[in-house]
Amino acid sequence: MQREALLRIGCAAGFSGDRTDAAEPVVDALIAAGGPAVLIFETLAERTLALAQLARRDHPDGGYEPLLDDLLRPVLDRCLRSGVRIVSNFGAANPPGAARRIAALARELGLREPRIAVVSGDDLSGDMHRDMLRQAIGPAIDGLKIVSANAYVGAETIADALAAGADIVVCGRVADPSLTVGPALAHFGWARDDWDRLARATMAGHLLECGAQVSGGYYADPGFKDVPGLAQLGYPIAEIDADGHCVITKPPGTGGRIDAHTVKEQLLYEVHDPAAYLTPDVVADIGEAAVTELGTDRVRLSGVRGHRRPAELKVNVCHESGWLAEGEISYAGPRAEARARLAADVLRERLQALGPLRVDLIGVTSVLGDDAGLALASRPVGDARDVRLRVALNHADRGAAERLGREVTALYTCGPAGGGGVRTSVRPRLGTVSCLVPRQQVTTSHEFLSWSR
């Protein structure tokens, strides 16, 4: 790579379950532009790792991104032939398993053997880490049935893997912006305490990390903030220069919009303090950042400053938290809302020994409701003619939780009149505890997949 050249990084996923057809236009644009390029997939959220660990209980070889094949199959050949490197956290709870699956996919497609690096060290769920977590959380941890515990690690190990010649880097829980910082760090050879450049690359990664949000997806609000071609959104590409400044764009001919408004919204997304955005790599300061439109779907971010990285790393600990039972039933026609409210009252009375119910009248009060039911109680009975009643219960015992579904089903004939379309479910619930641990207690490394046929 020529270190003076721009580095282009395209994002083709912003969470697990994102669209699987986003990568092809991004890869086409990266190849057409020429020069060094990286494709990233960001597929983790706060509880995705816990769900992945639960998946491994039934399928020990699983636990990585379930859409891995769908994400990579359309573009793997083009990336390997053109030198577009791939970096992702789609390893989730099983990065080695994801790497093995990618290798198998390459064989199935008749491709050359990619050099696949696996990043490890973020998983702190083992017994060897229990004392560390107890010091961070306190004795309450002893009462938790831990499903997953992962540190948000940074970009350095990604950079090391790329510098060692990786075509593909598979990670678990790295911080979202680090998927961008790692390639930039490897490409430009920045010092690892070059806080300003690291901060600029971090904010470039922050703009990319949620996929099509910055392209107008989460921005769209018809009649107020219109976005063309929402069904065919183009996912973003960052053009990063040697000082870390970036231009955000998207593939030509794709839907969506990238302008100062969409960039500013994403820039501030989930940033608790614009002057001190904490990441494992750096503390980024966007207090004097400048967002400049350069042309259609081209926006430059500059003026970001950086400060010394935190001495601690964030850890999310997910644990078993009982069972969530849900039931729904619809009421329509005259007095539908009154009948739905009566059904809720019946359920509250019959299930009061199990604890409080969450009650939503979808179409009347749901998103703006509350677990205590105060929002619904304070609202006078209206004349809604199409109401979906949803009730939910959290309970430590599965058998008790399952009773909710039976009671909702019984409303068919036990009344009120005219209920229909019952759906019920019971599923395990996860709780989350976040803490900080000393950085030096978390060691990351990378290892290349050993090929065997």
Side-chain angles (χ1 to χ4, degrees), residues 45-51 53-54 57 125 133 137 140-141 143-150 152 314-324 394-396 427-435:
E46 280 66 23
R47 296 194 304 167
T48 315
L49 273 160
L51 298 174
Q53 289 285 15
L54 291 174
R57 293 181 180 180
S125 57
L133 296 178
I137 296 173
I141 193 174
L144 300 180
K145 295 181 178 179
I146 293 178
V147 175
S148 66
N150 294 82
Y152 284 69
K314 176 183 175 181
V315 176
N316 270 356
V317 179
C318 289
H319 57 92
E320 296 180 11
S321 184
W323 298 88
L324 176 65
N394 190 53
H395 202 281
R427 62 182 185 272
R429 190 167 192 178
L430 297 171
T432 303
V433 177
S434 297
C435 62

Side-chain angles (χ1 to χ4, degrees), residues 60 129 218:
H129 303 293
Y218 207 64

Side-chain angles (χ1 to χ4, degrees), residues 41-259:
F41 296 89
E42 201 291 287
T43 62
L44 291 183
E46 280 66 23
R47 296 194 304 167
T48 315
L49 273 160
L51 298 174
Q53 289 285 15
L54 291 174
R56 289 194 74 184
R57 293 181 180 180
D58 297 326
H59 303 284
D61 291 335
Y64 52 82
E65 168 54 46
L67 295 175
L68 179 63
D69 277 33
D70 296 317
L71 292 169
L72 284 185
R73 187 181 295 273
V75 297
L76 186 56
D77 182 21
R78 274 177 283 175
C79 287
L80 292 178
R81 283 191 290 107
S82 62
V84 175
R85 296 180 173 189
I86 298 171
V87 177
S88 179
N89 54 17
F90 45 37
N94 189 5
R100 289 190 293 269
R101 179 56 207 150
I102 295 170
L105 180 61
R107 294 191 194 105
E108 292 170 15
L109 296 174
L111 310 181
R112 71 169 176 85
E113 296 182 354
R115 286 177 55 80
I116 306 173
V118 178
V119 173
S120 61
D122 64 292
D123 190 344
L124 306 182
S125 57
D127 291 340
M128 69 183 73
H129 303 293
R130 187 56 61 95
D131 287 343
M132 179 203 310
L133 296 178
R134 185 177 292 109
Q135 292 177 10
I137 296 173
I141 193 174
D142 296 324
L144 300 180
K145 295 181 178 179
I146 293 178
V147 175
S148 66
N150 294 82
Y152 284 69
V153 300
E156 292 186 357
T157 306
I158 296 173
D160 292 341
L162 292 170
D167 297 307
I168 301 170
V169 182
V170 179
C171 308
R173 178 69 281 179
V174 298
D176 299 348
S178 299
L179 297 173
T180 297
V181 178
L185 191 58
H187 173 68
F188 294 111
W190 297 329
R192 301 191 176 191
D193 60 355
D194 191 336
W195 306 125
D196 284 345
R197 288 184 172 90
L198 290 174
R200 293 163 190 158
T202 291
M203 298 319 296
H206 179 66
L207 292 173
L208 293 179
E209 69 186 51
C210 293
Q213 279 192 191
V214 76
S215 305
Y218 207 64
Y219 174 87
D221 190 352
F224 181 57
K225 297 185 297 183
D226 292 314
V227 176
L230 201 62
Q232 303 298 331
L233 277 176
Y235 281 51
I237 296 170
E239 300 173 352
I240 302 174
D241 67 23
D243 286 323
H245 301 299
C246 71
V247 173
I248 302 297
T249 185
K250 66 182 183 68
T254 58
R257 59 185 274 192
I258 292 178
D259 58 24

Side-chain angles (χ1 to χ4, degrees), residues 265-353:
E265 282 203 7
Q266 178 60 24
L267 192 64
L268 295 172
Y269 173 74
E270 291 185 341
V271 173
H272 66 289
D273 181 353
Y277 178 47
L278 305 179
T279 79
D281 301 305
V282 67
V283 176
D285 181 350
I286 60 172
E288 297 182 5
V291 174
T292 308
E293 293 184 4
L294 303 181
T296 303
D297 295 324
R298 291 185 62 81
V299 176
R300 178 176 171 81
L301 174 65
S302 59
V304 176
R305 300 297 304 275
H307 310 290
R308 180 179 297 275
R309 65 188 185 184
E312 298 173 304
L313 297 176
K314 176 183 175 181
V315 176
N316 270 356
V317 179
C318 289
H319 57 92
E320 296 180 11
S321 184
W323 298 88
L324 176 65
E326 294 180 277
E328 296 182 5
I329 186 170
S330 292
Y331 295 90
R335 298 170 300 283
E337 183 177 336
R339 285 180 281 131
R341 287 176 181 257
L342 176 56
D345 291 340
V346 169
L347 293 171
R348 285 195 186 98
E349 182 175 344
R350 291 186 59 80
L351 297 172
Q352 59 183 330

